[in-house]
Amino acid sequence: MIEGGALLPVSVEGWRHPAYLHGEARHARRIRGDALLVPFDPLIWNRERAERLFGFRYRIEIYVPAEKRQHGYYVLPFLMDDKLVARVDLKSDRQRGLLLARSVHFEPGAPPETPERLAGALAAMAAWLGLERVEGASGAMARRPSSL
């Protein structure tokens, strides 16, 4: 693929592993967007790679005893633009129409707009799930979903 030009070898500052760029890839001027990532999202399913690329150590804690969990039972990383900036432990309470943000953990260096943008992503998820609202542990994340 390298000889054919489909892949270009590149170096990544601070990285000793081989890296490649698609031969037709364009460099984005700016990446903008928000996403809650499930544990098997391609961006993070390879835990070692996610840690190497983003400095983000992520482990699924559903099989960890409650008293030993660091972030929660079912934690979704929050991707904001080109950085993983938060983690949120979610639970759906369908009888009450709630998406419960049982815990929210912001990564060191998360930008000031992270809580507001995370609230928007959670509201979108609640709407997608047919839930009426998001409720956080402290109420700080509460926000009604907009219709999609």
Side-chain angles (χ1 to χ4, degrees), residues 6-82:
L7 289 179
L8 304 172
V10 296
S11 61
V12 178
E13 185 178 330
W15 206 9
R16 68 179 194 277
H17 301 286
Y20 304 92
L21 180 68
H22 190 279
E24 296 177 14
R26 297 184 324 188
H27 295 279
R29 291 179 189 232
R30 182 173 175 183
I31 297 171
R32 178 114 171 114
D34 300 329
L36 288 160
L37 306 177
V38 296
F40 300 102
D41 186 282
L43 189 68
I44 59 169
W45 74 268
N46 182 326
R47 308 296 187 240
E48 181 183 300
R49 179 178 166 267
E51 194 164 350
R52 197 169 61 233
L53 289 174
F54 297 98
F56 188 85
R57 187 173 193 281
Y58 177 64
R59 302 295 181 264
I60 299 171
E61 298 183 74
I62 59 175
Y63 300 112
V64 174
E67 65 278 0
K68 293 184 178 182
R69 293 182 192 137
Q70 290 184 317
H71 298 102
Y73 180 78
Y74 195 79
V75 174
L76 303 184
F78 179 55
L79 176 69
M80 190 172 86
D81 303 332
D82 61 348

